[in-house]
Amino acid sequence: MAKEELTSIEWRSDQWMFQYGGLRPDNVLEYFSQSPFWDSSSNNAVLKMQTQFSDLQHASYDLKNMVGIEFAVTHQEPPSLFIITKFRRTSSTRAIPLAVYYIADGNAYEAPSLYSIISTRMLSSIKRVEEAFDIARRHSEFHPSVGYT
């Protein structure tokens, strides 16, 4: 099954931000969990369901010991910018980044992959080179009686 393309989506919930008083480091993952980028089978979601009626003080520790998909805030400049990374955790010490998301002034986006950025730039460059060759070809036609025109 192909991964759904989410890099063209912008998501925002003004109602949520009004209800919870804006975005803060302690609630940004909860806000992000309402977005279409969230994986409801992630370790974060599983742990939230398992501990929703108990104290969450050891949630971070428990998350590091779980194997699977995990979301973490990897950079923050509250209240306007939060960067969230989706990892595949394979052990308590190894997590492979899968995707990066950012929340800028309450708007959530998926950052494009390095591959998509480079391939788009290369395609754009190749198109420009192709256009330059077409122009050069049109200006350098050879005819035996006239020569190059």
Side-chain angles (χ1 to χ4, degrees):
M1 184 169 109
K3 180 187 172 211
E4 184 181 353
E5 182 62 41
L6 296 175
T7 56
S8 61
I9 293 176
E10 174 185 357
W11 179 84
R12 180 181 184 88
S13 178
D14 289 323
Q15 180 182 359
W16 190 97
M17 286 192 291
F18 179 75
Q19 182 178 354
Y20 291 96
L23 293 177
R24 299 181 309 275
D26 64 317
N27 71 4
V28 70
L29 277 177
E30 180 64 32
Y31 177 73
F32 186 75
S33 73
Q34 307 302 308
S35 77
F37 309 115
W38 184 256
D39 183 346
S40 59
S41 65
S42 68
N43 292 344
N44 304 70
V46 170
L47 192 59
K48 180 181 173 186
M49 293 304 282
Q50 290 176 348
T51 59
Q52 66 183 344
F53 300 112
S54 64
D55 189 13
L56 288 174
Q57 63 185 190
H58 299 295
S60 177
Y61 171 76
D62 292 339
L63 199 56
K64 297 273 189 237
N65 290 323
M66 296 175 77
V67 174
I69 301 298
E70 172 185 321
F71 291 93
V73 178
T74 52
H75 181 79
Q76 55 188 338
E77 294 177 20
S80 60
L81 178 66
F82 296 91
I83 297 177
I84 297 169
T85 305
K86 179 180 182 180
F87 294 99
R88 171 171 277 116
R89 181 164 295 283
T90 57
S91 72
S92 62
T93 58
R94 182 165 161 77
I96 302 161
L98 300 176
V100 177
Y101 306 89
Y102 59 100
I103 299 174
D105 294 320
N107 298 314
Y109 308 90
E110 180 177 0
S113 68
L114 182 59
Y115 171 80
S116 68
I117 292 171
I118 291 174
S119 65
T120 301
R121 296 291 171 112
M122 287 181 69
L123 186 60
S124 176
S125 299
I126 290 170
K127 178 77 172 143
R128 300 281 189 255
V129 170
E130 187 178 73
E131 290 169 357
F133 277 121
D134 286 344
I135 291 168
R137 186 177 39 82
R138 279 186 268 142
H139 291 289
S140 65
E141 293 183 4
F142 178 80
H143 191 274
S145 64
V146 180
Y148 285 104
T149 56

